[in-house]
Amino acid sequence: MTVTGSTTDTEALTLTFVADFDAPAEQVWGVWADPRKLERWWGPPTWPATFTRYEFTPGGAARYHMTGPDGTESHGWWTITAIEAPHRLELDDGFADKHGEPVDADRPGHVVVTLESTPSGTRMTVVNHFADAEALQMQLKMGMEEGMRLALGQIDAVLATT
């Protein structure tokens, strides 16, 4: 897998990642559709994710936490807003409390994932839309760009075992 790029657009309030995989779209789709596969790559290697709820359907909820090397947990939530298997997934996301309940549901981010076939496999584009400039800057300061690059870099290993 190659992360071929990431782009921050402060006017559009987006952070975009593009990655190419040597696998068909249906197989790459599986790393989003299956929570056990998702756990193997969501979050940087030192902050693995655990999904405690995963309803992969439009309107479905996901709750997860990532655990840092010192045991610190960071909780998050998703509401899936659109599924067009195996080419498009949309979801709202944000931070959650220790019980997995949203703490920022009034200012969610919105993520659009697209998978397109290429001559060598599949191109995944992940566009993160932020509620405002403050939310974008906060995520950048927290290391979201590097964290997503590291997370996406784990997908090849997941694909190799499917």
Side-chain angles (χ1 to χ4, degrees):
M1 186 284 299
T2 303
V3 175
T4 57
S6 64
T7 307
T8 302
D9 185 332
T10 55
E11 288 184 27
L13 302 174
T14 60
L15 178 55
T16 302
F17 298 89
V18 178
D20 291 307
F21 301 95
D22 293 328
E26 293 79 9
Q27 188 178 358
V28 177
W29 180 258
V31 304
W32 289 96
D34 181 337
R36 302 297 75 94
K37 290 178 184 174
L38 190 56
E39 286 176 333
R40 293 180 52 206
W41 71 270
W42 186 252
T46 59
W47 283 81
T50 301
F51 280 79
T52 56
R53 181 176 176 185
Y54 199 68
E55 301 161 353
F56 195 68
T57 184
R63 300 293 187 264
Y64 69 93
H65 63 273
M66 295 186 296
T67 305
D70 65 356
T72 301
E73 291 184 353
S74 177
H75 295 261
W77 64 271
W78 295 350
T79 298
I80 297 172
T81 59
I83 295 177
E84 297 171 25
H87 298 289
R88 187 177 184 86
L89 170 66
E90 294 190 37
L91 56 94
D92 290 339
D93 74 337
F95 293 106
D97 65 21
K98 66 181 180 178
H99 305 291
E101 294 309 309
V103 296
D104 57 356
D106 60 328
R107 297 178 55 231
H110 186 72
V111 180
V112 178
V113 179
T114 55
L115 303 177
E116 60 183 306
S117 296
T118 65
S120 61
T122 302
R123 173 163 287 166
M124 177 192 297
T125 303
V126 181
V127 182
N128 298 274
H129 299 264
F130 297 90
D132 52 40
E134 179 185 354
L136 170 59
Q137 290 305 317
M138 180 185 72
Q139 289 286 358
L140 291 172
K141 186 176 179 180
M142 290 175 60
M144 181 180 181
E145 185 170 5
E146 179 183 353
M148 276 294 291
R149 282 179 166 275
L150 291 169
L152 291 167
Q154 300 174 108
I155 292 177
D156 274 334
V158 178
L159 294 172
T161 61
T162 56

